[in-house]
Amino acid sequence: MVLDERAERIIGILSDSFFPILKAGLYFTVPLTLITFTLGLILAFFTAIARISGIKPLVAIAKFYVWIFRGTPLLVQLFILFYGLPSVGITLDPFPAAVLGFTLNKGAYSSEIIRAAILSTPKGQWEAAYSIGMTRAQAMRRIILPQAIRVSVPPLGNSFISLVKDTSLAATITVTEMFQKGQQVAAATYEPLWLYIEVAFIYLMFSTVLSYAQSMLERRFDRSVAK
Amino acid sequence: MSIVIENVSKSFGSFQALKDINLEIQTGELVALLGPSGSGKTSLLRIIAGLESANQGFIYFDKENITTITAKERKVGFVFQHYALFRHMTVFENIAYGLKVRPRNERPKKKDIEAKVYELLELVKLKDLAKRYPSQLSGGQRQRVALARALAVEPKVLLLDEPFGALDAKVRKELRRWLRRLHDEFHISSIFVTHDQEEALDVADKIVVMNQGKIEQIGTPNEVYENPQTPFVYDFLGNVNLFKGRLNNGKLLHGNTVTNVPDGDPSETREAIGYARPHDINISRVKSDEEEVKVSIAHLHIVGPSVQIELIREDTKEYLEAELPKEHYTKLNLKVGEKVFVKPKQLKVFIPEDYMI
């Protein structure tokens, strides 16, 4: 009956830790994801616009930014921001440091998605817009972007879901998000296998809900667009 | 609006798409730019629209030089080959948009825009489909939306790039006749690009035949069809028979036959080719004339109001094609394998050096 006792103990630990971990998710993982995704999108949008603006200094800045943040590991970026910057007098709290790191990283990746979506809109759409008297800005805002958004929903949704999981890296800069919480419980109870499976399960719950939301969004956008 | 194109050239990299084009279009004319793909006809249309810029030369609208003015400011209506409808907007919005995006002081009232759009929808017979998206329309319907969208901004010039290229034969014929009526109603100048000679001959006031970036001939449909100025035009505007031979003192020697050619008479002997359309070939059962060529009948196509006859010359073994009205064919009572005599009613002779590069 040793097995029963052990099973009982594990079930006890898991049910005791489930809500604290979920709470860490709702208090840190979800806000971190939503805030950085939103900020990242805004940054990505302006970066993409800068890239295709044809204005040389803007293009160069955008290219440089994407090059740096796509070419270095996210973990290293977070460490530089949180552990490195204090040595030059800039000290960030864990959560703002995480927001800044994820935003810069996501912004670089998503800008490429948005740029590709804008470029994928057929040239004829621009020309049609000019031929009925639109300016470049009008054509961009009213003709190109609405179509580009539809094209970029699936890949952006993808990167959103990967962001949910990437936020676990915030644990390394002492943000007590879900993974950090799981680590704490695992260390205290010596049940790493079951605890991390539980953490994985909660991540899965989050990303399942988000995938569903993404497919709803895609369907909404897809309705009127001819392939 | 009258359009003048003066010495326009355009190259894409090392490829010269247009070579020194000169063309005048009068107000109210419906002009076809006709030529094979790669002849520069679409480039010319896009330069007139301002979607492409010429490397040299000038374009005038009503004597005003608009060469450096942008597409947006030229106020031309442009119908794209693949329609380029705004995919995320309904038919109504597509047509209304050109008016909606005008600067505030030029923009019609919302009510007026709506009235205008419905008037255009009525015109293109799509009133019931106003709320549909382009993806829910057939090719012909999309084409009509594209036309209505171009007309909504009340252009003085309407430019159409292969407007009926992607449609099936019957719809194509219907739409081009309808375009002709529309053009007459709106009192505009229209230019359309096509590679379909039948289409150009059917509706245009004036045909501009283009080949390899140059204009080969400009004329009414009748002029270019009946009196082609170059071998290319002859060939492009319908079927043609070639009589290859040597020209001397107003006579063309081809095979065993000599044909008198009044219009071409170099004093020395030259290689030359005579051109004659299939319906300009006379067929008789007995030889009554020195200029007749003996042929045997290889094949008969009897469908339709006229009969196409494939013939093989007895002397050179070259193929000829003749076309006869059905009654005439019945009277002659021709059969495959029979020997008959043919003679071109008119033969236009070109000397190859004239057009070979």
Side-chain angles (χ1 to χ4, degrees), chain B residues 182-207:
Chain B
L182 204 71
H183 165 89
D184 294 338
E185 239 171 79
F186 273 70
H187 307 292
I188 47 178
S189 308
S190 306
I191 307 175
F192 73 101
V193 156
T194 181
H195 58 255
D196 181 348
Q197 37 102 2
E198 193 193 317
E199 197 168 286
L201 293 171
D202 192 18
V203 295
D205 295 316
K206 184 150 104 184
I207 296 180

Short mmCIF file of all heavy atoms in Angstrom, two decimals, chain B residues 182-207:
data_model
loop_
_atom_site.label_atom_id
_atom_site.label_comp_id
_atom_site.label_asym_id
_atom_site.label_seq_id
_atom_site.Cartn_x
_atom_site.Cartn_y
_atom_site.Cartn_z
N LEU B 182 -21.58 52.18 -74.22
CA LEU B 182 -21.25 52.96 -73.03
C LEU B 182 -20.32 54.12 -73.40
O LEU B 182 -20.49 55.26 -72.96
CB LEU B 182 -20.52 52.03 -72.06
CG LEU B 182 -20.56 52.40 -70.61
CD1 LEU B 182 -21.97 52.17 -70.10
CD2 LEU B 182 -19.59 51.54 -69.83
N HIS B 183 -19.33 53.81 -74.21
CA HIS B 183 -18.37 54.81 -74.64
C HIS B 183 -19.09 55.96 -75.36
O HIS B 183 -18.82 57.12 -75.12
CB HIS B 183 -17.35 54.15 -75.57
CG HIS B 183 -16.53 55.12 -76.35
ND1 HIS B 183 -15.36 55.63 -75.88
CD2 HIS B 183 -16.75 55.70 -77.57
CE1 HIS B 183 -14.88 56.48 -76.77
NE2 HIS B 183 -15.69 56.53 -77.79
N ASP B 184 -20.02 55.61 -76.23
CA ASP B 184 -20.75 56.64 -76.97
C ASP B 184 -21.61 57.50 -76.05
O ASP B 184 -21.73 58.70 -76.23
CB ASP B 184 -21.62 55.98 -78.05
CG ASP B 184 -20.77 55.31 -79.12
OD1 ASP B 184 -19.59 55.70 -79.26
OD2 ASP B 184 -21.27 54.40 -79.78
N GLU B 185 -22.18 56.86 -75.03
CA GLU B 185 -23.05 57.56 -74.11
C GLU B 185 -22.28 58.57 -73.24
O GLU B 185 -22.78 59.64 -72.93
CB GLU B 185 -23.68 56.53 -73.17
CG GLU B 185 -25.19 56.50 -73.20
CD GLU B 185 -25.67 55.30 -72.41
OE1 GLU B 185 -25.69 55.38 -71.18
OE2 GLU B 185 -25.99 54.26 -73.05
N PHE B 186 -21.07 58.19 -72.85
CA PHE B 186 -20.33 59.01 -71.88
C PHE B 186 -19.48 60.11 -72.53
O PHE B 186 -18.90 60.92 -71.83
CB PHE B 186 -19.42 58.12 -71.03
CG PHE B 186 -20.11 57.57 -69.82
CD1 PHE B 186 -21.09 56.62 -69.95
CD2 PHE B 186 -19.79 58.04 -68.55
CE1 PHE B 186 -21.75 56.12 -68.84
CE2 PHE B 186 -20.44 57.55 -67.44
CZ PHE B 186 -21.42 56.59 -67.58
N HIS B 187 -19.38 60.15 -73.83
CA HIS B 187 -18.58 61.16 -74.53
C HIS B 187 -17.16 61.26 -73.99
O HIS B 187 -16.72 62.32 -73.57
CB HIS B 187 -19.25 62.53 -74.46
CG HIS B 187 -20.67 62.50 -74.92
ND1 HIS B 187 -21.00 62.27 -76.23
CD2 HIS B 187 -21.82 62.64 -74.25
CE1 HIS B 187 -22.31 62.28 -76.34
NE2 HIS B 187 -22.83 62.48 -75.17
N ILE B 188 -16.51 60.12 -73.91
CA ILE B 188 -15.13 60.13 -73.43
C ILE B 188 -14.22 59.58 -74.51
O ILE B 188 -14.70 59.07 -75.52
CB ILE B 188 -14.96 59.27 -72.15
CG1 ILE B 188 -15.64 57.91 -72.34
CG2 ILE B 188 -15.51 59.99 -70.94
CD1 ILE B 188 -15.48 56.99 -71.17
N SER B 189 -12.92 59.72 -74.28
CA SER B 189 -11.97 59.05 -75.16
C SER B 189 -11.57 57.75 -74.47
O SER B 189 -11.27 57.75 -73.29
CB SER B 189 -10.72 59.90 -75.36
OG SER B 189 -11.11 61.19 -75.77
N SER B 190 -11.62 56.66 -75.22
CA SER B 190 -11.26 55.37 -74.61
C SER B 190 -10.15 54.70 -75.41
O SER B 190 -10.11 54.79 -76.63
CB SER B 190 -12.46 54.42 -74.58
OG SER B 190 -13.55 55.02 -73.96
N ILE B 191 -9.26 54.06 -74.68
CA ILE B 191 -8.22 53.27 -75.33
C ILE B 191 -8.24 51.89 -74.70
O ILE B 191 -8.23 51.79 -73.47
CB ILE B 191 -6.82 53.90 -75.11
CG1 ILE B 191 -6.83 55.36 -75.55
CG2 ILE B 191 -5.76 53.11 -75.87
CD1 ILE B 191 -5.53 56.08 -75.27
N PHE B 192 -8.33 50.86 -75.49
CA PHE B 192 -8.23 49.53 -74.91
C PHE B 192 -7.15 48.70 -75.60
O PHE B 192 -6.89 48.86 -76.78
CB PHE B 192 -9.58 48.81 -74.85
CG PHE B 192 -10.11 48.32 -76.17
CD1 PHE B 192 -9.99 46.97 -76.51
CD2 PHE B 192 -10.75 49.17 -77.04
CE1 PHE B 192 -10.50 46.50 -77.72
CE2 PHE B 192 -11.26 48.71 -78.25
CZ PHE B 192 -11.14 47.38 -78.58
N VAL B 193 -6.53 47.87 -74.77
CA VAL B 193 -5.46 47.01 -75.25
C VAL B 193 -6.03 45.63 -75.53
O VAL B 193 -6.85 45.14 -74.76
CB VAL B 193 -4.36 46.91 -74.16
CG1 VAL B 193 -3.54 45.66 -74.32
CG2 VAL B 193 -3.48 48.13 -74.20
N THR B 194 -5.66 45.05 -76.64
CA THR B 194 -6.14 43.69 -76.91
C THR B 194 -5.15 42.96 -77.82
O THR B 194 -4.39 43.60 -78.54
CB THR B 194 -7.54 43.70 -77.56
OG1 THR B 194 -7.96 42.37 -77.78
CG2 THR B 194 -7.53 44.46 -78.87
N HIS B 195 -5.16 41.64 -77.74
CA HIS B 195 -4.38 40.88 -78.72
C HIS B 195 -5.32 40.17 -79.67
O HIS B 195 -4.90 39.38 -80.50
CB HIS B 195 -3.44 39.89 -78.02
CG HIS B 195 -4.16 38.92 -77.15
ND1 HIS B 195 -4.16 39.00 -75.79
CD2 HIS B 195 -4.93 37.87 -77.46
CE1 HIS B 195 -4.90 38.04 -75.29
NE2 HIS B 195 -5.38 37.33 -76.29
N ASP B 196 -6.62 40.46 -79.50
CA ASP B 196 -7.64 39.77 -80.28
C ASP B 196 -8.08 40.67 -81.44
O ASP B 196 -8.76 41.67 -81.24
CB ASP B 196 -8.83 39.46 -79.34
CG ASP B 196 -9.93 38.72 -80.06
OD1 ASP B 196 -9.90 38.63 -81.30
OD2 ASP B 196 -10.86 38.24 -79.38
N GLN B 197 -7.64 40.33 -82.65
CA GLN B 197 -7.92 41.20 -83.79
C GLN B 197 -9.42 41.34 -84.06
O GLN B 197 -9.89 42.41 -84.44
CB GLN B 197 -7.18 40.69 -85.03
CG GLN B 197 -7.10 39.20 -85.18
CD GLN B 197 -8.08 38.66 -86.19
OE1 GLN B 197 -8.82 39.40 -86.82
NE2 GLN B 197 -8.09 37.34 -86.34
N GLU B 198 -10.16 40.27 -83.79
CA GLU B 198 -11.60 40.31 -84.03
C GLU B 198 -12.26 41.37 -83.15
O GLU B 198 -13.11 42.14 -83.59
CB GLU B 198 -12.18 38.92 -83.72
CG GLU B 198 -13.58 38.73 -84.23
CD GLU B 198 -14.20 37.48 -83.63
OE1 GLU B 198 -13.50 36.45 -83.55
OE2 GLU B 198 -15.36 37.56 -83.20
N GLU B 199 -11.80 41.40 -81.89
CA GLU B 199 -12.32 42.37 -80.93
C GLU B 199 -12.03 43.80 -81.39
O GLU B 199 -12.90 44.66 -81.37
CB GLU B 199 -11.61 42.10 -79.60
CG GLU B 199 -12.25 42.69 -78.39
CD GLU B 199 -11.61 42.07 -77.15
OE1 GLU B 199 -11.92 40.90 -76.87
OE2 GLU B 199 -10.80 42.75 -76.51
N ALA B 200 -10.80 44.02 -81.82
CA ALA B 200 -10.41 45.36 -82.26
C ALA B 200 -11.20 45.77 -83.49
O ALA B 200 -11.71 46.88 -83.58
CB ALA B 200 -8.91 45.39 -82.56
N LEU B 201 -11.33 44.85 -84.44
CA LEU B 201 -12.05 45.16 -85.68
C LEU B 201 -13.52 45.42 -85.40
O LEU B 201 -14.17 46.21 -86.07
CB LEU B 201 -11.90 44.01 -86.68
CG LEU B 201 -10.49 43.78 -87.22
CD1 LEU B 201 -10.43 42.48 -88.02
CD2 LEU B 201 -10.05 44.94 -88.10
N ASP B 202 -14.05 44.75 -84.40
CA ASP B 202 -15.48 44.81 -84.11
C ASP B 202 -15.91 46.15 -83.53
O ASP B 202 -16.93 46.70 -83.92
CB ASP B 202 -15.84 43.67 -83.15
CG ASP B 202 -17.33 43.49 -83.02
OD1 ASP B 202 -18.05 43.99 -83.91
OD2 ASP B 202 -17.79 42.86 -82.06
N VAL B 203 -15.16 46.69 -82.57
CA VAL B 203 -15.68 47.86 -81.86
C VAL B 203 -14.89 49.16 -82.00
O VAL B 203 -15.42 50.23 -81.72
CB VAL B 203 -15.85 47.59 -80.34
CG1 VAL B 203 -16.90 46.53 -80.12
CG2 VAL B 203 -14.55 47.22 -79.70
N ALA B 204 -13.63 49.09 -82.43
CA ALA B 204 -12.82 50.31 -82.39
C ALA B 204 -13.13 51.26 -83.53
O ALA B 204 -13.54 50.85 -84.61
CB ALA B 204 -11.34 49.93 -82.41
N ASP B 205 -12.92 52.57 -83.28
CA ASP B 205 -12.97 53.57 -84.35
C ASP B 205 -11.64 53.56 -85.09
O ASP B 205 -11.57 53.84 -86.27
CB ASP B 205 -13.14 54.98 -83.78
CG ASP B 205 -14.46 55.16 -83.08
OD1 ASP B 205 -15.47 54.71 -83.64
OD2 ASP B 205 -14.48 55.72 -81.97
N LYS B 206 -10.60 53.30 -84.29
CA LYS B 206 -9.26 53.39 -84.84
C LYS B 206 -8.43 52.27 -84.22
O LYS B 206 -8.55 52.02 -83.02
CB LYS B 206 -8.68 54.75 -84.45
CG LYS B 206 -7.35 55.07 -85.01
CD LYS B 206 -7.20 56.57 -85.20
CE LYS B 206 -6.33 57.18 -84.13
NZ LYS B 206 -6.26 58.65 -84.24
N ILE B 207 -7.63 51.62 -85.05
CA ILE B 207 -6.79 50.54 -84.55
C ILE B 207 -5.32 50.94 -84.69
O ILE B 207 -4.91 51.45 -85.73
CB ILE B 207 -7.05 49.23 -85.31
CG1 ILE B 207 -8.50 48.76 -85.06
CG2 ILE B 207 -6.07 48.14 -84.88
CD1 ILE B 207 -8.86 47.48 -85.77
#
